[in-house]
Amino acid sequence: MNIILLGPPGAGKGTQAARLQATRGMIQLSTGDMLREARASGSPIGEKVKAIMDAGELVSDAIVTALIGERLDSCAGCGAIFDGFPRTIAQAEALDLLLAERGRHLDHVIELVVDEEALVTRITGRFTCAKCGAGYHDSFRPTKVAGVCDVCGSTEFKRRPDDNEQTVRTRMEEYRAKTAPILPFYQARGLVRRVDGMASVDEVAAQIDAILDASP
Ligand code: AP5
């Protein structure tokens, strides 16, 4: 099964994709994570995309499509969860081609329907453990002991450079202008399933599970 999780920054795509990967043996293909890995490695692609990501703008279609193509080749036969891809009509068309070339097809486009203002608070408060990657939030999910990771005990944490309010607002604008227009592209094919992304993480998970479990 191949699915897209679609929604603005902070909608919960990464949270749900990681859960599906853990519970269903599907593979999370997050272009945001791939680009952050490229940045951290100091590769030529990483250098190229750093300023674009920090401004909250979209990286070129060619770069992200190439990244997705490489990862798809390394997970032949596994179910794919596209997280943060596609983000433009050109990327949606490129994904069709990438899947068709590999004899695969899309089963669902799951739209996380959310209130954008609430998302600014969600995003600007999040942080992760620098050692094990466990995710937290200043208000909604603080560590049990202040300054100590619940999972590995590390005292080092990090925040994404693009998680400040100004950049988040640019990311939202990019979503409205370039990504939301891909919904009609998939609606015309009857692939879009809407989920209430403002519900709790567990409730969102249950809604997504119901969609996947109802699939033939
Ligand atoms: P990317 O990393 O994809 O970021 P994003 O789309 O802005 O999404 P986020 O990771 O911020 O949010 P999310 O929806 O995954 O939410 P999460 O689960 O983390 O992209 C970053 C940048 O890379 C882009 O700006 C662009 O520059 C570039 N890029 C990436 N892909 C690209 C592409 N295809 N084309 C071009 N450029 C690309 O949740 C957020 C917070 O909310 C967490 O703290 C979480 O714990 C919490 N939370 C989640 N669900 C709930 C819930 N139901 N209730 C309460 N809290 C919740």
Side-chain angles (χ1 to χ4, degrees):
M1 184 177 301
N2 302 295
I3 65 170
I4 294 173
L5 293 181
L6 192 67
K13 305 181 293 294
T15 301
Q16 296 299 332
R19 186 192 62 84
L20 288 171
Q21 177 165 274
T23 58
R24 291 185 180 252
M26 298 173 78
I27 300 293
Q28 176 184 10
L29 298 175
S30 158
T31 38
D33 286 349
M34 292 173 203
L35 291 166
R36 279 184 286 279
E37 277 167 28
R39 283 179 64 148
S41 73
S43 70
I45 287 184
E47 288 303 315
K48 212 185 243 180
V49 302
K50 188 172 181 302
I52 300 169
M53 292 177 78
D54 287 349
E57 293 161 7
L58 293 190
V59 170
S60 80
D61 292 333
I63 288 179
V64 291
T65 301
L67 288 171
I68 284 284
E70 275 171 25
R71 295 295 169 106
L72 262 182
D73 286 335
S74 65
C75 78
C78 63
I81 310 154
F82 297 99
D83 162 12
F85 180 91
R87 264 172 148 102
T88 62
I89 295 275
Q91 290 179 25
E93 289 169 348
L95 178 59
D96 276 347
L97 201 59
L98 286 173
L99 289 172
E101 283 168 354
R102 291 158 180 80
R104 301 169 73 149
H105 67 275
L106 270 178
D107 293 280
H108 303 289
V109 176
I110 299 180
E111 181 192 6
L112 298 167
V113 181
V114 286
D115 164 12
E116 286 193 12
E117 271 315 303
L119 297 192
V120 176
T121 313
R122 265 196 200 176
I123 296 180
T124 52
R126 80 174 156 188
F127 60 99
T128 52
C129 171
K131 194 169 167 202
C132 73
Y136 298 98
H137 190 280
D138 292 327
S139 315
F140 309 135
R141 195 173 172 235
T143 53
K144 288 181 187 137
V145 176
V148 181
C149 176
D150 298 351
V151 178
C152 73
S154 168
T155 53
E156 286 180 36
F157 296 90
K158 58 182 182 183
R159 290 177 192 263
R160 275 171 46 177
D162 59 344
D163 275 354
N164 60 80
E165 183 167 347
Q166 191 187 344
T167 307
V168 170
R169 293 204 183 274
T170 304
R171 286 159 60 194
M172 300 278 186
E173 279 164 26
E174 289 282 79
Y175 179 82
R176 279 193 294 271
K178 296 174 185 165
T179 308
I182 69 180
L183 275 164
F185 177 85
Y186 290 123
Q187 267 155 352
R189 286 154 58 178
L191 288 174
V192 179
R193 322 273 176 253
R194 302 185 94 210
V195 159
D196 175 12
M198 297 313 294
S200 71
V201 171
D202 287 346
E203 284 163 354
V204 177
Q207 292 177 62
I208 294 174
D209 282 342
I211 293 166
L212 302 192
D213 290 342
S215 297

